[in-house]
Amino acid sequence: DGGARPVEMAIAPVPWGAGVIFGAFLRDISERRRSDEVRARLLEKVLTAQEEERCRIARDLHDGIGQSLTTLLVGLSAMGQAPDLDAARGWAEELGRVASGAMDDVRRISRGLRPSVLDDLGLVAALERCARDFERAHRVAVEFRAGGAGSCRLPRAVETTLYRIVQEAMTNVGKHARAGAVRVEVAWAAACVVATVEDDGVGFDREAVSGAGGSGSGLGLSGMEERAGLLGGSIAIESRPGGGTVVRARIPFEDRGHGEGDCDSARGAGPEDAGRGPA
Ligand SMILES: Nc1ncnc2c1ncn2[C@@H]1O[C@H](COP(=O)(O)OP(=O)(O)O)[C@@H](O)[C@H]1O
Ligand SMILES: [Mg+2]
């Protein structure tokens, strides 16, 4: 059609009668080029998101823990000059509260940084904890369900990606939805895992949010899409003003390298549950 196309060329000797000729093979690689470009764009966005996360952590450290440590220092100095033991005890009590607040901060920050609960307990337990934390923090009932072959371990990247996506979806529910009830569900079959976060809150107009060119909205929704996209998965969002929101993440995975038939045999009491019997 007169347009230019990227091609890959291979030249190989081909026996021809008593001699040899050289054959050239051309392959159209525009499709591969395009997916390389998409990948590069996604990676760049992920790096930007990482940079923003660092800024957030720096802020948390400075404003939260930094403040607590300053308060502790000032308090300790006052305690050293307390006129009597009772006054000193009063200070000790007060400073104990500050220290335990700082410990909560550290726990919160480190949990956000590295979901070690994933390594320890796996995706289902980690998500359930996420749901319970949300319930406590926002005083909203969260229904949690895990279905399908829920006892086999997924590839690490799939677990982390789903965990982060659900975390962001829940953060959005807490920040924007004003929901009365939330449902979190994770279910997987042999080659695909689906996580759903549903709320009955105020909902939003997806077009208006993405149409804003990102200026008004955060990186949350696009970050979810990028995370899923990097693993060949996708995010579907159903929402309309007044009608609540459903965020569904679908990630494909290969269960090769996870023990033969792991996912299928996990449908009953999986290998990891063998000693404990069905849950
Ligand atoms: N569960 C939800 N309920 C209502 N509105 C939502 C929900 N999730 C996202 N939104 C809307 O979509 C916008 C974009 O979300 P996001 O990309 O995560 O950015 P941020 O949370 O930083 O504002 C939000 O500002 C909000 O208006
Ligand atoms: Mg958000």
Side-chain angles (χ1 to χ4, degrees):
D1 58 2
R5 276 173 178 278
V7 293
E8 185 180 74
M9 184 164 76
I11 298 179
V14 179
W16 188 265
V20 154
I21 62 165
F22 285 86
F25 304 90
L26 290 180
R27 181 187 299 165
D28 182 342
I29 56 166
S30 19
E31 198 47 50
R32 197 205 300 166
R33 261 296 155 77
R34 250 195 305 279
S35 64
D36 281 354
E37 277 165 19
V38 168
R39 222 182 155 71
R41 245 193 347 261
L42 290 180
L43 254 170
E44 191 189 314
K45 282 205 174 173
V46 168
L47 291 179
T48 312
Q50 270 176 3
E51 214 43 56
E52 301 217 336
E53 183 166 44
R54 278 166 199 236
C55 288
R56 184 181 56 74
I57 295 159
R59 254 193 329 267
D60 279 358
L61 286 175
H62 176 267
D63 299 349
I65 296 164
Q67 288 287 345
S68 302
L69 287 176
T70 308
T71 310
L72 278 176
L73 269 181
V74 173
L76 282 170
S77 142
M79 190 169 150
Q81 284 156 25
D84 54 41
L85 202 53
D86 270 352
R89 281 207 184 97
W91 273 109
E93 215 171 283
E94 177 62 30
L95 296 180
R97 269 195 292 276
V98 175
S100 93
M103 267 174 63
D104 287 346
D105 279 348
V106 170
R107 213 171 295 133
R108 185 175 51 74
I109 294 171
S110 63
R111 201 190 275 180
L113 277 179
R114 186 184 147 69
S116 58
V117 61
L118 276 181
D119 297 334
D120 302 341
L121 305 172
L123 182 69
V124 170
L127 290 180
E128 181 153 28
R129 179 180 290 188
C130 213
R132 298 300 154 239
D133 285 352
F134 183 93
E135 222 165 30
R136 243 188 325 257
H138 297 277
R139 293 170 209 289
V140 172
V142 180
E143 182 194 332
F144 178 80
R145 255 194 288 174
S151 50
C152 79
R153 289 301 295 260
L154 294 162
R156 243 179 111 92
V158 174
E159 288 199 334
T160 311
T161 294
L162 275 175
Y163 185 76
R164 292 301 189 199
I165 288 171
V166 169
Q167 228 178 9
E168 172 58 26
M170 305 271 296
T171 303
N172 278 348
V173 176
K175 247 164 73 175
H176 310 294
R178 282 179 268 139
V182 181
R183 197 173 64 84
V184 179
E185 185 174 340
V186 57
W188 64 89
C192 180
V193 51
V194 179
T196 309
V197 176
E198 183 175 354
D199 70 68
D200 64 352
V202 297
F204 66 107
D205 181 354
R206 189 68 217 283
E207 293 298 304
V209 165
S210 50
S215 56
S217 74
L219 275 168
L221 297 179
S222 53
M224 284 189 216
E225 273 157 2
E226 277 134 30
R227 282 186 197 273
L230 281 173
L231 297 183
S234 61
I235 304 281
I237 298 175
E238 289 163 39
S239 186
R240 56 199 164 73
T245 301
V246 183
V247 174
R248 183 165 289 126
R250 195 180 296 273
I251 314 278
F253 67 92
E254 294 181 40
D255 45 21
R256 263 189 337 203
H258 276 254
E260 303 143 56
D262 225 8
C263 268
D264 289 329
S265 59
R267 243 170 254 283
E272 289 165 334
D273 289 335
R276 283 177 269 142

